[in-house]
Amino acid sequence: MDYKVLLDGIDDIEPMSGTVQYLMANYGQPRDAFVRGEGSYLFREDGSRVLDFLSGIAVTSLGHSYPAVVEAVANQAGKLMHTSNFFANENGPKVAYLLDRLISSSTPTNESGKIFFSNSGAEAMEAAIKLARKRQGSDRYKFITINGAFHGRTFGALSATAQPGKKEAFEPVVPGFHHVSAGDIQSVAKLIEAGGVGAVIIESIQGESGVRPLSEDFVGELRRITSDSDTLLILDEVQTGLGRCGSWFDFSHHGIAPDIVVMAKALGSGFPIGATWAKNGVADAFVAGDHGTTYGGNPLATASALATLTSMIRIDAPKRARDQGSELAERLRALDKVVEVRGRGLLLGAELDGIDAPLVARYALEGGLVVNPIGFTTLRLAPPLTVSLDEIEEAVTILGDAIKLAS
Ligand SMILES: Cc1ncc(COP(=O)(O)O)c(C=O)c1O
């Protein structure tokens, strides 16, 4: 076969129909297709634009195509993209240093730690699970996670995910994962007392299951009983971290020091990268050969992360999330049929009064706004942290109209 014929007509493959024809059906039917992004807006092929109040699920926190990130990625791509982890690169240690400083300064103890780089949130969670197993030993192989939690789709992360619907088709999952209800500290204490528990994994705000913050009492108690029993506390900050909820890491809201922190999403501004931080004394459990990934922390991914973090520090991203987040929350609360607004900073869940959230999201998209329905009556909003007050105003107007249409 002359494979050059494969190139004939390749440009005729359309994003929407091509996705349905050539990609697996696991994401369902795509809702729209975009060819360009700038700031808070996404653009279609025909030039029409929509306000992006989802940020690729809390990823493009600096907005689309933030100039410093674009420049860093383009420069690095022209210089060196990949070498493997047999060799050091100039960006990785700098990103690790910044993450360590941002995490340790968010804790009351200021304890320092070390970073493992991967390529996604699920992989960063896998690394945390394996690190905890290695540190705690095989007789403490059990984990406790919270009902409703989402920690990713790979087998370890899926086993930690406490949403039966996401797991049923893949049983049996990894053994040893126990789930308790948010707030049920007695069950956590009982499981730990019974023995064999090495770690507890939490999201301080459950993003995927409806933007549901854990209570301060529960998180405080969790830290107390895990510390007392040398059980590790793993914070999944994949969605909540890096400024999104109004602080560098949302665990700081609870005044606690985690043992392991899992990050991804916003770290690369859209370039895939995940990171697992562990405090010294836990991080040391990984020795040469214990874990790895070909791409993790490669020059291109860490160039993107370095530009993202330095930009976030320069613009004080957490403060933007606090300021714009309180404006957005206030305007959402004022909308007819919005009965509750949950979350912190710019990770917000708007609960609708019995109205079909997927339908509202569809009308909103037609009106020029991306929001995300999670569950039947909840909308998740996660605009860029760089969003302007005018854009918030525009989004809330579109959303108000969409709610009216769906009511
Ligand atoms: C809290 C949390 N953990 C883990 C993940 C998995 O991350 P990824 O999709 O990058 O594998 C997600 C993704 O939404 C998440 O929200």
Side-chain angles (χ1 to χ4, degrees):
M1 179 183 175
D2 177 5
Y3 288 100
K4 288 191 185 122
V5 298
L6 290 175
L7 305 179
D8 295 344
I10 187 103
D11 292 335
D12 298 334
I13 297 176
E14 297 287 343
M16 296 288 276
S17 57
T19 297
V20 174
Q21 192 170 355
Y22 298 115
L23 272 65
M24 290 192 199
N26 53 303
Y27 297 113
Q29 181 86 16
R31 293 155 179 81
D32 211 330
F34 300 105
V35 294
R36 192 167 77 77
E38 193 181 326
S40 303
Y41 289 92
L42 286 166
F43 294 81
R44 300 185 183 95
E45 179 105 66
D46 66 5
S48 61
R49 68 178 197 177
V50 301
L51 259 178
D52 184 2
F53 268 44
L54 181 58
S55 307
I57 321 182
V59 168
T60 51
S61 284
L62 290 166
H64 293 284
S65 301
Y66 193 77
V69 179
V70 173
E71 197 188 329
V73 171
N75 282 344
Q76 190 64 50
K79 210 161 76 165
L80 181 67
M81 285 201 230
H82 184 79
T83 56
S84 89
N85 282 305
F86 293 134
F87 308 103
N89 72 65
E90 56 189 319
N91 305 318
K94 293 178 187 165
V95 177
Y97 162 81
L98 287 177
L99 287 175
D100 181 50
R101 290 288 95 89
L102 293 173
I103 291 171
S104 64
S105 64
S106 301
T107 70
T109 53
N110 277 313
E111 265 179 289
S112 214
K114 288 201 167 63
I115 291 285
F116 169 82
F117 286 120
S118 53
N119 312 290
S120 66
E123 281 179 73
M125 180 51 69
E126 291 294 333
I129 290 168
K130 284 181 71 178
L131 182 66
R133 277 270 178 103
K134 179 90 195 298
R135 159 65 156 58
Q136 302 296 61
S138 55
D139 56 339
R140 297 187 72 188
Y141 72 99
K142 294 180 189 165
F143 291 84
I144 301 174
T145 76
I146 312 298
N147 283 331
F150 183 78
H151 297 297
R153 304 281 195 154
T154 54
F155 256 97
L158 181 67
S159 309
T161 291
Q163 298 184 29
K166 294 208 164 58
K167 299 211 277 201
E168 266 156 17
F170 304 98
E171 297 282 358
V173 294
V174 180
F177 285 82
H178 297 263
H179 312 306
V180 303
S181 297
D184 184 1
I185 199 72
Q186 270 87 11
S187 292
V188 178
K190 251 192 225 155
L191 281 163
I192 289 177
E193 268 163 43
V197 175
V200 176
I201 306 174
I202 59 169
E203 301 158 88
S204 55
I205 300 175
Q206 294 189 331
E208 295 301 298
S209 63
V211 190
R212 297 180 190 281
L214 297 183
S215 77
E216 282 162 38
D217 282 356
F218 182 55
V219 175
E221 273 298 286
L222 269 181
R223 180 65 285 188
R224 194 184 59 72
I225 63 174
T226 49
S227 295
D228 289 352
S229 56
D230 190 32
T231 305
L232 301 176
L233 184 60
I234 301 174
L235 261 292
D236 182 342
E237 293 265 4
V238 167
Q239 189 157 155
T240 50
L242 299 167
R244 164 88 21 215
C245 296
S247 50
W248 283 107
F249 293 94
D250 193 61
F251 68 73
S252 64
H253 177 81
H254 297 276
I256 57 160
D259 300 302
I260 298 177
V261 179
V262 179
M263 299 152 274
K265 288 197 186 280
L267 183 55
S269 289
F271 199 99
I273 180 167
T276 307
W277 174 94
K279 70 178 188 186
N280 292 328
V282 174
D284 321 334
F286 269 171
V287 296
D290 273 341
H291 193 50
T293 164
T294 299
Y295 297 117
N298 88 2
L300 196 51
T302 48
S304 183
L306 184 58
T308 300
L309 287 178
T310 50
S311 302
M312 283 183 163
I313 290 168
R314 285 197 182 111
I315 67 165
D316 196 349
K319 181 175 184 318
R320 295 216 182 194
R322 283 196 301 278
D323 293 350
Q324 309 301 68
S326 62
E327 291 290 335
L328 177 58
E330 196 179 306
R331 282 170 167 73
L332 288 173
R333 280 193 189 100
L335 281 180
D336 205 21
K337 309 279 189 199
V338 171
V339 287
E340 189 190 7
V341 177
R342 298 186 291 267
R344 273 189 282 281
L346 281 170
L347 181 61
L348 297 174
E351 193 64 42
L352 305 173
D353 190 8
I355 297 163
D356 183 340
L359 188 61
V360 173
R362 187 141 63 82
Y363 286 138
L365 185 57
E366 283 166 16
L369 171 72
V370 176
V371 288
N372 175 229
I374 31 174
F376 193 69
T377 55
T378 310
L379 291 171
R380 173 172 48 180
L381 294 96
L385 311 185
T386 50
V387 70
S388 71
L389 289 179
D390 285 349
E391 288 163 348
I392 288 176
E393 199 67 62
E394 185 185 343
V396 172
T397 305
I398 296 170
L399 190 59
D401 292 345
I403 292 172
K404 267 188 214 127
L405 276 173
S407 298

Short mmCIF file of all heavy atoms in Angstrom, two decimals, residues 57-59 119-125 149-154 157 161 202-203 205-208 236-240 262-265 273-274 380, ligand 1:
data_model
loop_
_atom_site.label_atom_id
_atom_site.label_comp_id
_atom_site.label_asym_id
_atom_site.label_seq_id
_atom_site.Cartn_x
_atom_site.Cartn_y
_atom_site.Cartn_z
N ILE A 57 -12.37 22.02 32.72
CA ILE A 57 -12.50 21.41 34.07
C ILE A 57 -11.36 21.87 34.98
O ILE A 57 -10.49 21.09 35.40
CB ILE A 57 -12.61 19.86 34.03
CG1 ILE A 57 -13.47 19.37 32.85
CG2 ILE A 57 -13.18 19.35 35.36
CD1 ILE A 57 -13.66 17.87 32.79
N ALA A 58 -11.36 23.17 35.25
CA ALA A 58 -10.43 23.78 36.22
C ALA A 58 -8.97 23.64 35.82
O ALA A 58 -8.09 23.50 36.68
CB ALA A 58 -10.67 23.19 37.62
N VAL A 59 -8.71 23.69 34.52
CA VAL A 59 -7.33 23.54 34.03
C VAL A 59 -6.73 24.88 33.60
O VAL A 59 -5.65 25.27 34.06
CB VAL A 59 -7.28 22.53 32.86
CG1 VAL A 59 -5.95 22.58 32.14
CG2 VAL A 59 -7.57 21.12 33.37
N ASN A 119 1.73 12.68 34.60
CA ASN A 119 1.11 13.33 33.44
C ASN A 119 -0.37 13.66 33.60
O ASN A 119 -0.98 14.16 32.67
CB ASN A 119 1.27 12.43 32.21
CG ASN A 119 2.68 11.93 32.07
OD1 ASN A 119 3.58 12.70 31.74
ND2 ASN A 119 2.90 10.67 32.37
N SER A 120 -0.94 13.34 34.75
CA SER A 120 -2.38 13.57 34.93
C SER A 120 -2.70 13.46 36.42
O SER A 120 -1.86 13.01 37.22
CB SER A 120 -3.19 12.53 34.18
OG SER A 120 -2.99 11.25 34.75
N GLY A 121 -3.95 13.81 36.75
CA GLY A 121 -4.38 13.70 38.14
C GLY A 121 -4.43 12.25 38.60
O GLY A 121 -4.01 11.92 39.72
N ALA A 122 -4.94 11.38 37.74
CA ALA A 122 -5.05 9.96 38.12
C ALA A 122 -3.66 9.37 38.38
O ALA A 122 -3.46 8.63 39.35
CB ALA A 122 -5.76 9.17 37.03
N GLU A 123 -2.72 9.72 37.53
CA GLU A 123 -1.36 9.20 37.72
C GLU A 123 -0.72 9.78 38.98
O GLU A 123 0.05 9.08 39.66
CB GLU A 123 -0.48 9.56 36.53
CG GLU A 123 -0.69 8.68 35.34
CD GLU A 123 0.20 9.15 34.21
OE1 GLU A 123 1.41 8.93 34.26
OE2 GLU A 123 -0.34 9.77 33.28
N ALA A 124 -1.00 11.03 39.27
CA ALA A 124 -0.46 11.63 40.49
C ALA A 124 -1.06 10.92 41.71
O ALA A 124 -0.39 10.71 42.72
CB ALA A 124 -0.75 13.13 40.52
N MET A 125 -2.34 10.52 41.59
CA MET A 125 -2.99 9.77 42.68
C MET A 125 -2.40 8.37 42.79
O MET A 125 -2.17 7.87 43.89
CB MET A 125 -4.50 9.74 42.43
CG MET A 125 -5.32 9.01 43.47
SD MET A 125 -5.01 9.50 45.19
CE MET A 125 -5.70 11.14 45.21
N ALA A 149 -16.42 10.76 46.61
CA ALA A 149 -15.11 11.25 46.16
C ALA A 149 -14.80 10.81 44.74
O ALA A 149 -15.22 9.74 44.31
CB ALA A 149 -14.02 10.73 47.09
N PHE A 150 -14.04 11.65 44.04
CA PHE A 150 -13.52 11.28 42.72
C PHE A 150 -12.01 11.47 42.74
O PHE A 150 -11.52 12.56 43.04
CB PHE A 150 -14.13 12.15 41.61
CG PHE A 150 -13.65 11.73 40.24
CD1 PHE A 150 -14.18 10.60 39.62
CD2 PHE A 150 -12.64 12.42 39.58
CE1 PHE A 150 -13.72 10.18 38.37
CE2 PHE A 150 -12.19 12.02 38.34
CZ PHE A 150 -12.73 10.90 37.73
N HIS A 151 -11.28 10.39 42.42
CA HIS A 151 -9.82 10.48 42.46
C HIS A 151 -9.17 10.06 41.14
O HIS A 151 -7.94 9.96 41.08
CB HIS A 151 -9.27 9.65 43.62
CG HIS A 151 -9.72 10.15 44.96
ND1 HIS A 151 -9.39 11.41 45.44
CD2 HIS A 151 -10.48 9.58 45.94
CE1 HIS A 151 -9.92 11.58 46.64
NE2 HIS A 151 -10.59 10.49 46.97
N GLY A 152 -9.98 9.75 40.11
CA GLY A 152 -9.40 9.40 38.82
C GLY A 152 -9.88 8.05 38.33
O GLY A 152 -10.63 7.36 39.01
N ARG A 153 -9.43 7.65 37.13
CA ARG A 153 -10.00 6.49 36.44
C ARG A 153 -9.03 5.31 36.29
O ARG A 153 -9.44 4.27 35.80
CB ARG A 153 -10.43 6.90 35.03
CG ARG A 153 -11.41 8.06 35.00
CD ARG A 153 -12.80 7.61 35.32
NE ARG A 153 -13.75 8.65 34.95
CZ ARG A 153 -15.01 8.42 34.65
NH1 ARG A 153 -15.49 7.20 34.71
NH2 ARG A 153 -15.80 9.41 34.32
N THR A 154 -7.76 5.48 36.62
CA THR A 154 -6.86 4.34 36.58
C THR A 154 -7.21 3.43 37.75
O THR A 154 -7.94 3.86 38.67
CB THR A 154 -5.40 4.80 36.67
OG1 THR A 154 -5.26 5.61 37.84
CG2 THR A 154 -4.98 5.59 35.45
N ALA A 157 -6.64 4.71 41.43
CA ALA A 157 -7.43 5.93 41.63
C ALA A 157 -8.93 5.62 41.57
O ALA A 157 -9.73 6.18 42.33
CB ALA A 157 -7.06 6.98 40.60
N THR A 161 -11.91 6.08 44.27
CA THR A 161 -13.12 6.82 43.91
C THR A 161 -14.34 6.14 44.54
O THR A 161 -14.55 4.95 44.35
CB THR A 161 -13.26 6.88 42.37
OG1 THR A 161 -12.21 7.72 41.87
CG2 THR A 161 -14.60 7.43 41.93
N ILE A 202 -8.60 12.37 50.98
CA ILE A 202 -9.76 13.27 50.91
C ILE A 202 -9.57 14.37 49.86
O ILE A 202 -8.44 14.75 49.55
CB ILE A 202 -10.09 13.95 52.27
CG1 ILE A 202 -8.90 14.78 52.78
CG2 ILE A 202 -10.53 12.94 53.30
CD1 ILE A 202 -9.23 15.69 53.96
N GLU A 203 -10.69 14.87 49.36
CA GLU A 203 -10.73 16.16 48.66
C GLU A 203 -11.38 17.11 49.67
O GLU A 203 -12.47 16.78 50.17
CB GLU A 203 -11.65 16.14 47.46
CG GLU A 203 -11.38 15.16 46.37
CD GLU A 203 -12.66 14.91 45.55
OE1 GLU A 203 -12.90 15.65 44.59
OE2 GLU A 203 -13.40 13.98 45.88
N ILE A 205 -12.81 19.84 49.07
CA ILE A 205 -14.09 20.11 48.42
C ILE A 205 -14.26 19.04 47.35
O ILE A 205 -13.41 18.93 46.46
CB ILE A 205 -14.14 21.50 47.75
CG1 ILE A 205 -13.91 22.62 48.77
CG2 ILE A 205 -15.46 21.71 47.01
CD1 ILE A 205 -13.82 24.02 48.18
N GLN A 206 -15.31 18.25 47.43
CA GLN A 206 -15.53 17.23 46.41
C GLN A 206 -16.04 17.93 45.15
O GLN A 206 -17.17 18.43 45.12
CB GLN A 206 -16.54 16.19 46.89
CG GLN A 206 -16.01 15.38 48.07
CD GLN A 206 -16.90 14.21 48.43
OE1 GLN A 206 -18.11 14.25 48.20
NE2 GLN A 206 -16.31 13.17 48.99
N GLY A 207 -15.18 17.97 44.13
CA GLY A 207 -15.51 18.72 42.92
C GLY A 207 -16.50 18.00 42.02
O GLY A 207 -17.53 18.55 41.63
N GLU A 208 -16.17 16.75 41.69
CA GLU A 208 -16.97 16.04 40.68
C GLU A 208 -18.36 15.66 41.18
O GLU A 208 -19.27 15.46 40.40
CB GLU A 208 -16.24 14.76 40.24
CG GLU A 208 -14.94 15.01 39.51
CD GLU A 208 -15.13 15.84 38.26
OE1 GLU A 208 -15.84 15.40 37.36
OE2 GLU A 208 -14.56 16.94 38.19
N ASP A 236 -6.18 15.28 47.99
CA ASP A 236 -6.32 15.35 46.55
C ASP A 236 -6.69 16.79 46.19
O ASP A 236 -7.84 17.20 46.33
CB ASP A 236 -7.40 14.37 46.07
CG ASP A 236 -7.55 14.36 44.56
OD1 ASP A 236 -7.08 15.32 43.90
OD2 ASP A 236 -8.14 13.41 44.03
N GLU A 237 -5.67 17.55 45.73
CA GLU A 237 -5.89 18.95 45.36
C GLU A 237 -5.86 19.12 43.84
O GLU A 237 -5.56 20.19 43.33
CB GLU A 237 -4.82 19.83 46.01
CG GLU A 237 -4.89 19.91 47.52
CD GLU A 237 -5.69 21.13 48.03
OE1 GLU A 237 -6.24 21.88 47.20
OE2 GLU A 237 -5.74 21.30 49.26
N VAL A 238 -6.18 18.03 43.13
CA VAL A 238 -6.15 18.07 41.66
C VAL A 238 -7.06 19.18 41.14
O VAL A 238 -6.70 19.95 40.24
CB VAL A 238 -6.54 16.70 41.07
CG1 VAL A 238 -6.83 16.78 39.57
CG2 VAL A 238 -5.43 15.68 41.33
N GLN A 239 -8.25 19.29 41.73
CA GLN A 239 -9.21 20.29 41.25
C GLN A 239 -9.17 21.58 42.08
O GLN A 239 -9.34 22.67 41.56
CB GLN A 239 -10.62 19.69 41.29
CG GLN A 239 -11.66 20.54 40.64
CD GLN A 239 -12.89 19.75 40.19
OE1 GLN A 239 -13.95 20.30 40.07
NE2 GLN A 239 -12.77 18.47 39.92
N THR A 240 -8.95 21.43 43.37
CA THR A 240 -9.06 22.57 44.29
C THR A 240 -7.76 23.38 44.39
O THR A 240 -7.80 24.54 44.83
CB THR A 240 -9.40 22.07 45.70
OG1 THR A 240 -8.48 21.02 46.04
CG2 THR A 240 -10.81 21.52 45.78
N VAL A 262 -1.71 15.79 46.20
CA VAL A 262 -1.80 15.35 44.80
C VAL A 262 -2.31 16.52 43.95
O VAL A 262 -3.32 17.14 44.29
CB VAL A 262 -2.76 14.14 44.70
CG1 VAL A 262 -2.90 13.68 43.26
CG2 VAL A 262 -2.28 13.00 45.58
N MET A 263 -1.59 16.82 42.87
CA MET A 263 -1.95 17.97 42.02
C MET A 263 -1.92 17.60 40.54
O MET A 263 -1.25 16.65 40.17
CB MET A 263 -0.91 19.10 42.20
CG MET A 263 -0.80 19.65 43.57
SD MET A 263 0.88 20.29 43.86
CE MET A 263 1.74 18.82 44.37
N ALA A 264 -2.59 18.39 39.72
CA ALA A 264 -2.52 18.24 38.25
C ALA A 264 -3.24 19.46 37.64
O ALA A 264 -2.89 20.58 37.98
CB ALA A 264 -3.15 16.94 37.79
N LYS A 265 -4.22 19.19 36.81
CA LYS A 265 -5.07 20.20 36.17
C LYS A 265 -4.38 21.54 35.88
O LYS A 265 -3.73 21.68 34.86
CB LYS A 265 -6.33 20.39 37.00
CG LYS A 265 -7.29 19.18 36.89
CD LYS A 265 -8.67 19.53 37.36
CE LYS A 265 -9.62 18.35 37.42
NZ LYS A 265 -10.19 17.98 36.14
N ILE A 273 0.30 17.55 32.94
CA ILE A 273 1.31 17.31 33.97
C ILE A 273 0.60 17.07 35.31
O ILE A 273 -0.39 17.74 35.62
CB ILE A 273 2.35 18.47 34.07
CG1 ILE A 273 3.39 18.17 35.17
CG2 ILE A 273 1.69 19.82 34.27
CD1 ILE A 273 4.62 19.08 35.13
N GLY A 274 1.09 16.12 36.07
CA GLY A 274 0.60 15.87 37.42
C GLY A 274 1.79 15.90 38.37
O GLY A 274 2.94 15.74 37.94
N ARG A 380 -21.70 23.29 37.78
CA ARG A 380 -20.38 23.66 38.30
C ARG A 380 -19.83 24.81 37.48
O ARG A 380 -19.87 24.79 36.25
CB ARG A 380 -19.43 22.47 38.22
CG ARG A 380 -17.99 22.83 38.57
CD ARG A 380 -17.09 21.62 38.67
NE ARG A 380 -17.23 20.70 37.55
CZ ARG A 380 -16.56 19.57 37.43
NH1 ARG A 380 -15.70 19.20 38.37
NH2 ARG A 380 -16.73 18.78 36.37
C1 LIG B 1 -10.22 15.61 42.62
C2 LIG B 1 -9.74 14.92 41.39
N1 LIG B 1 -8.81 13.96 41.49
C3 LIG B 1 -8.34 13.32 40.42
C4 LIG B 1 -8.81 13.61 39.16
C5 LIG B 1 -8.27 12.86 37.97
O1 LIG B 1 -7.50 13.70 37.18
P1 LIG B 1 -7.24 13.36 35.63
O2 LIG B 1 -8.52 13.47 34.93
O3 LIG B 1 -6.20 14.37 35.20
O4 LIG B 1 -6.69 11.97 35.59
C6 LIG B 1 -9.77 14.60 39.00
C7 LIG B 1 -10.32 14.92 37.67
O5 LIG B 1 -11.34 15.53 37.51
C8 LIG B 1 -10.26 15.27 40.14
O6 LIG B 1 -11.20 16.22 40.06
#
